[in-house]
Amino acid sequence: MLQIPEPILAAPVAALPTAGVAYEGKWDGYRCLLARHPDGRVEMRSRRGTALTVAFSDIAAAAQRDLPDGGVLLDGELVIWHEGRLAFDRLKRRMNRTAASVAGEIRAAPAHFVAFDVLHLAGENLMPQQYLRRRERLERLFAEEALGPPWTLCPMTLDRAEAERWMQEWAQADVSLEGIVAKKLNQPYRPGTLRLRIEGASVTASGLLAMRALLATNSYADVCS
């Protein structure tokens, strides 16, 4: 049985670091550690340990259907795209509701899981490995399992200038993308330790189209190119 750890947290900084880091988008959603246990059971917990499996039963069902046997533990963000923006209020409406009420919310506004780390896979604990190695395993998981919606691979770049361009492109339209997270390439996954986050990003019209495509197809070429 997989043990869900505390997540790595992020601390705000004034500027992007310059070397030895990867840059990822920071989403306006619910942080979620998602485990598909070897017996097929799915467990989803927030950064504070709140159970999310009932509230996001659409994602739990997708995990049972789509993720491989042998056990998978993902770190990511639950988001809902609704009426042209990331809708944090639609996430909150699912909490502390009955399964029947949640089913109505799912029909009105289904959720996506934006994956940015893999901590266990096929019986192997990946947490001691460096971030870049875990990222390679995550990308391979998406490719080998042909993961489509509701799964989304979080955009990542090693190019600081590209990350700055993302920030500029995301600065003019309000779709609630929060900023950029910088992750050290050689860092293992240490629960509770801090990564760096620069805040203040939202998305322009061109970025808005790219974000729609990202959530629909899991391809982030339009965002990262």
Side-chain angles (χ1 to χ4, degrees), residues 32-225:
C32 178
L33 290 126
L34 183 153
R36 186 191 189 279
H37 296 280
D39 62 4
R41 182 172 57 89
V42 174
E43 185 178 6
M44 300 169 62
R45 296 199 173 273
S46 74
R47 59 175 288 184
R48 293 183 175 86
T50 302
L52 298 173
T53 312
V54 173
F56 295 90
S57 56
D58 48 343
I59 302 298
Q64 288 181 320
R65 180 190 70 228
D66 299 336
L67 297 182
D69 297 331
V72 182
L73 178 56
L74 298 175
D75 191 0
E77 198 90 359
L78 292 163
V79 300
I80 290 177
W81 184 266
H82 185 67
E83 295 182 348
R85 60 178 290 117
L86 294 174
F88 190 79
D89 62 311
R90 303 295 303 214
L91 296 168
K92 293 191 293 184
R93 286 167 62 168
R94 293 191 182 205
M95 301 304 296
N96 302 314
R97 305 282 292 274
T98 66
S101 297
V102 169
E105 288 295 321
I106 290 171
R107 287 191 295 271
H112 293 261
F113 186 93
V114 182
F116 47 71
D117 215 331
V118 56
L119 311 184
H120 287 264
L121 184 62
E124 183 180 2
N125 178 14
L126 304 179
M127 292 172 62
Q129 296 189 15
Q130 298 181 356
Y131 162 80
L132 200 56
R133 174 61 175 159
R134 297 196 312 274
R135 176 70 191 198
E136 291 170 354
R137 294 292 295 273
L138 181 62
E139 292 179 0
R140 194 187 317 161
L141 173 66
F142 267 74
E144 291 178 349
E145 301 300 326
L147 294 179
W151 308 104
T152 296
L153 181 61
C154 185
M156 184 274 281
T157 182
L158 303 178
D159 185 341
R160 185 176 186 271
E162 187 170 27
E164 289 177 335
R165 180 169 62 83
W166 291 357
M167 293 284 290
Q168 293 169 0
E169 290 180 348
W170 297 348
Q172 296 176 12
D174 181 17
V175 296
S176 299
L177 203 72
E178 293 185 327
I180 297 290
V181 177
K183 300 181 177 182
K184 294 181 180 179
L185 299 181
N186 62 357
Q187 184 177 8
Y189 194 98
R190 295 192 182 103
T193 58
L194 295 178
R195 289 172 172 161
L196 304 177
R197 180 181 78 247
I198 183 167
E199 298 179 328
S202 51
V203 186
T204 66
S206 61
L208 174 61
L209 293 175
M211 195 60 57
R212 286 173 177 160
L214 173 65
L215 291 175
T217 68
N218 296 325
S219 170
Y220 58 91
D222 289 339
V223 179
C224 298
S225 61

